[in-house]
Structure formats: C-alpha cells, structure tokens
Amino acid sequence: MLITREELLARLSPEGADWLDLALAEAQEATRRAPGAPPEPGAPGWQLRFAAAGRACGPQAAEAARVLLLRTACPDAAAVARLYERGTGAERRAVLLALPDLPLAPDEGVPLVEDALRTNDTGLIAAAVGPYAAAHLDAHAWRHAILKCLFTGVPVATAEVADRARGDRELARMLGDFAAERTAAGRPVPDDLDRVLALTAEGA
Amino acid sequence: MRIFDPHIHMASRTTDDYEAMYAAGVRAVVEPSFWLGQPRTSPASFRDYFDALLGWEPFRAAQYGIAHHCTIALNPKEANDPRCVPVLEELPGYLVKDGVVAVGETGYDSMTAAEDSALAAQLQLAADHGLPALVHTPHRDKLAGLRRTLDVVRESALPADRVLVDHLNETTVKEAKDSGAWLGFSVYPDTKMDEKRMVAVLREYGPERVLVNSAADWGRSDPLKTRRVADLMLAEGFTEDDVDRVLWRNPVAFYGLSGRLALDVAPPGPTHEGNSVLRGGE
C-alpha cells in the first residue's frame, strides 16, 4: 500500500501525473503554514484534490494518490477527523490507511478506526485493521476486530495480526467458539481462522 | 442487454432487488438524493444520507456487479422547510466528490417561492462545479410546473443541454424537447408513465436525448421497469441499437457530462461467499 511518489507516477497517464505533481505541491505548501495561523476560508486546495483523485488518477490509483497526499500534507487531528467524517467510502479508506504516518495521538486516531469497525463495509473494515489498529486498539477491541474480519471475510493473516495474536488465549477461545458455531450451522469455517488460531498457540 | 437506470432510490431497496436488477441486465444506476418519505428535521440528517449515497450504497451495489453513482441536492419538497434549507451551504463540500455525477433532484413540488430560490441556487451550483443537473418536474400542475422550470433554466448559467428534465409524460414532452434539455421518463406500476405509453412516446418523439428510469423508491414501484420498457420496445419493432441507445448510451452521455462516470465495477473490498452484505447472526 505504501507506494512511493515515483511508483505512483509511473502508473498514471501524463495528465494524471501532472495532476498529482500539482496536488502534492499543494499538499507540501499546506505544511508550511505557520502553526496557529487562522484557517483560510474554504477547503485547502490539496483537500479538493483529495476528493477528486478518482476522476483524476482513475479508480485504481486513487487510493494510493490519496494516501500520498495525506502523508505529504500531514494534516492535524481536526482536519483528519473532518476528512474522514465528511469523506466518501474511498476517502475514508485512504484516511484509515494513512493513520500510521499521521501525527495523531492514539485518542485522536482510534475513534476513526472504531467508527470503521462499526460498519459492514468490508473495504472500510479491511483498511481499519492494519498496523495502526494493531498498535493502538485495546485487547478487547482488537480481538473483536479480528473476529469481525473473519465474520465478514476480510483477510486477517497479516504480519501485524500474527505479531499480536501470539499467545492470546482469550482470542483463541473466541475463535474456537466462532468455529463451533459455524460448524453447528453446517457452514464452512474461514481458512484464516485456523491460521490465526495456530498463532495463538505459539508462545502460549 | 445492458441497462443503466438513471434514476432509482436504492437506499430504499433490498439486496434481492440488486440481484434481480443484475439478472435483468442492469449494470449501472444513478441514485438521486430525494425525500425519504419521512420529513428530515436538520441538515445533519441530510449529511448522513449523502454519506450513505457516497459510501454504503456504492458498496452494496458493487457486491452485485452494479456501478453506483449519485446526484446531490436539497429536494423540492424539503426546500420549503426552513429547518432543512441550511443544507444548501453544505452542498459544495459534496459536489466535489468523485461519485457525484449531477446536482439533483432539484425542481418544483408545489411551486413556491422557496422552491424558486432553491432551484435557481442549485442550477448555479451545478454550473460552478462543472456538473449537469437533474430537475424533477412536479406531480401536480405538471405542465405549468414544466414551463416555470424551463424559464428558470433559461435564466440560469447552466445550458439546457446540461439539464435532464425528469418525470415527463405525453403532456410535457414536446415543450421539454423543444427546450434542448434531456428528457427523463419514470415508468411506474400505476402512476407516472407505463411501458406502453413510454413506447408510444418513443415512437412519436424518437430516442434522441431520451432516458427511461424506474424511479423505484419506498413507494409502490418496480426496479425492473427499465427492462420491461426495453422488452416492449423490441416487441414493438424498435431495434436492439435503439434499446441500447435509450437504456445505456443516453444516460452514459448525460451523466458523462460530469467527467466522473466510472462504469467498471470492482467490489471495493473482500467478500464473504460473494456477499459481504452481512448482518449479525450470519
């Protein structure tokens, strides 16, 4: 997901690449505003480009472009929350994916992850359960996030899940109960469940 | 057969409808923002609705292989409610979004002064944002409403060929066509237009700039009416190319004026057994 500006530019049409160069320049400019300066009227230019990335870069490259814009502009917590709350599904995913690289305190970033985990949009859930969630969700919320991924078919056999699942007996119990419920209903147990369950037994 | 329903309120419909629509050939829809049947009491309620049209609903549609876009506006009915009117100030924040392909539905319900100013303001917003506009014509006093609509369009910064005038019928089609606007027809089980009348209108006025929609919502309506019209067109001697023009190319051309149509559907996230629209207990 964390692709560089050069990798992204190589994927874009000449017009898309020109657009991205201008957008990133505007995002860079936003970081030079004096701290505490009064907000300028209207949304900053880079935020308008954040909204327009799909039509400018194409739906496939838009997510990487948005993440790059966020990492470049480094918006404060209030701006990040606003971009998320007023964002489309695609924009919200980009905010969630950028969280590890933004200067937010855990109590500023975690509520966005929790919001995404309350949805049933698997695109949002998948973007929410990444390194930021692994680092900052408390144990209860983290275990429920893993269970929700398995429940909705979001892949969870990722490195950060592996690290945090090791030796987690309560997670093992929850996974076992979920597997039993699925089996009782005559429904298949997700493949990822066994992988995570095996990790919980390690170092236990 | 590929079908584009250019006006359908999917937030009111079930996944069964999405499944049936896909089976009938529907591959793209536009969901205009409108009244919910139950009056809203604040701009915050609009925001939640707009967010659904730009997040949850495209996600649901993609699970069924259907591209979903929307139009954003303060609808004519609620333009009369002072509790709702402040949402006009929030529209610019939505009109820049990728999934928004027009301003709409705007237009007249009871032809009040408040509707006049909301319509004029929103046609200006469309011009400012490089978007076309979807204009609803009233269900009561329709011909007078159409004439007043066309007057406001003529006085606006938006050229008539960037306006889709919707809910037309035999009494309003000629003047709408003469204005240069795009022509929308909503085909309903009982009211508005039906398939036979629609095909007769197509025979008399031709398929140029004509869009047919189901306008299906929370009321008695049928999301497969687009397919019924297509089938009757073929049975009555129209060619497959005519059908494709009315039910696919015309809506693509109109909403394509936004520069924001993206008709390739990729499910936005992983799916569970082909369907991640799950509830607790599944």
Side-chain angles (χ1 to χ4, degrees), chain B residues 248-265:
Chain B
W248 186 266
R249 300 198 308 269
N250 283 350
V252 168
F254 175 73
Y255 288 117
L257 293 170
S258 68
R260 305 186 196 176
L261 266 190
L263 294 171
D264 290 335
V265 185

Side-chain angles (χ1 to χ4, degrees), chain A residues 16 19 22 32 54 57 60 62-63 78 88 91 99 112 117-118 121 135 147-148 160 162 174-175 187 189 198 203:
Chain A
W19 180 92
L22 280 172
R32 285 196 273 271
C57 300
Q60 302 308 317
E63 188 160 277
T88 63
E91 291 167 26
L99 281 179
L112 308 184
L117 287 171
R118 282 192 292 271
D121 181 332
L147 199 56
K148 183 151 184 177
E160 54 269 10
M174 291 164 73
L175 296 178
R187 300 179 62 201
V189 175

Side-chain angles (χ1 to χ4, degrees), chain A residues 16-27:
Chain A
D18 288 348
W19 180 92
L20 185 67
D21 271 335
L22 280 172
L24 290 172
E26 287 180 0

